[in-house]
Amino acid sequence: MDESIITDKQNYHWFKNGLKSYLEIQYLKKFYSDTKLLGTLPETKLFGVKPLKLFHASDVKLIERYGLTYQYIMSQNLDQKIAEKYAVLSNFNDMAISSFETGTLFNYSAEKMGYENFDILVQNFIAKNTDKETNPNDFIKELAEKDKRTTYLSEFLQHKNRVNFKLKRFKKRRRFSQYKDSKKYACPYSRKN
């Protein structure tokens, strides 16, 4: 993929890395869907006890690492907007933003429009743009034309995105506060329950 897709690394670093992560997610879903993040380590006995079975990490599936990674990045305020220039990305965001976040967004879009449709669109885009400089925004436009539910991507890439909660009601009771919230908009790569 690195040899066949030519993009301006300064402006479009996220495109190839996002496609690679998307393909990795599909591979993990196909061949390792039930594999746990810690593998067989929680099954290891220590003095006749399996101590790692007591922790939540022992139940987390390998495929869930993308969501966990994004949540960690967001909670530590380490993320930058996806379309940030390559020169100003931190080393951490070079790997995390242009890979995990973009790959997860592509996976979310593929889930909405159908994986087969998304894969065909990617294959056709790569085939017609092989060995020539490509503008990934053309891919985003084609994606939006193919399925209107993916129109969020062009705007989403330009901003540092967060799940935005809007406070609806707030009551003070004794020492504790109670509130009811509603999502202003949902993060497209949040984990489904």
Side-chain angles (χ1 to χ4, degrees), residues 55-165:
F55 298 99
H56 171 67
S58 66
D59 295 328
V60 176
K61 291 187 176 183
L62 183 61
I63 194 70
E64 293 173 5
R65 72 184 182 158
Y66 296 94
L68 290 172
T69 302
Y70 177 73
Q71 288 173 2
Y72 174 76
I73 292 167
M74 193 173 68
S75 71
Q76 299 299 311
N77 199 25
L78 297 171
D79 60 330
Q80 293 171 287
K81 64 182 180 179
I82 295 171
E84 189 76 68
K85 299 264 188 217
Y86 185 76
V88 295
L89 281 182
S90 67
N91 288 338
F92 182 74
N93 278 308
D94 173 26
M95 184 271 302
I97 296 302
S98 57
S99 291
F100 286 153
E101 191 170 4
T102 311
T104 307
L105 285 170
F106 285 158
N107 186 59
Y108 175 78
S109 298
E111 185 178 302
K112 290 296 173 197
M113 68 186 295
Y115 290 105
E116 189 175 315
N117 292 333
F118 185 84
D119 292 345
I120 289 169
L121 189 69
V122 170
Q123 289 170 1
N124 291 340
F125 186 80
I126 291 172
K128 77 177 171 195
N129 292 295
T130 298
D131 298 329
K132 58 183 175 183
E133 188 152 348
T134 305
N135 184 343
N137 289 325
D138 295 339
F139 173 76
I140 301 299
K141 286 176 191 167
E142 283 184 37
L143 192 60
E145 288 169 7
K146 182 89 170 163
D147 192 314
K148 299 296 180 210
R149 292 174 290 186
T150 62
T151 55
Y152 73 93
L153 263 177
S154 58
E155 183 71 22
F156 206 88
L157 296 172
Q158 303 305 319
H159 302 285
K160 183 176 174 178
N161 297 287
R162 300 292 166 104
V163 175
N164 190 0
F165 292 96

Side-chain angles (χ1 to χ4, degrees), residues 36 38-45 49-59:
K36 303 290 184 189
L38 298 179
T40 58
L41 195 57
E43 300 301 322
T44 304
K45 288 186 178 183
V49 179
K50 298 177 183 176
L52 291 178
K53 281 282 198 184
L54 302 174
F55 298 99
H56 171 67
S58 66
D59 295 328

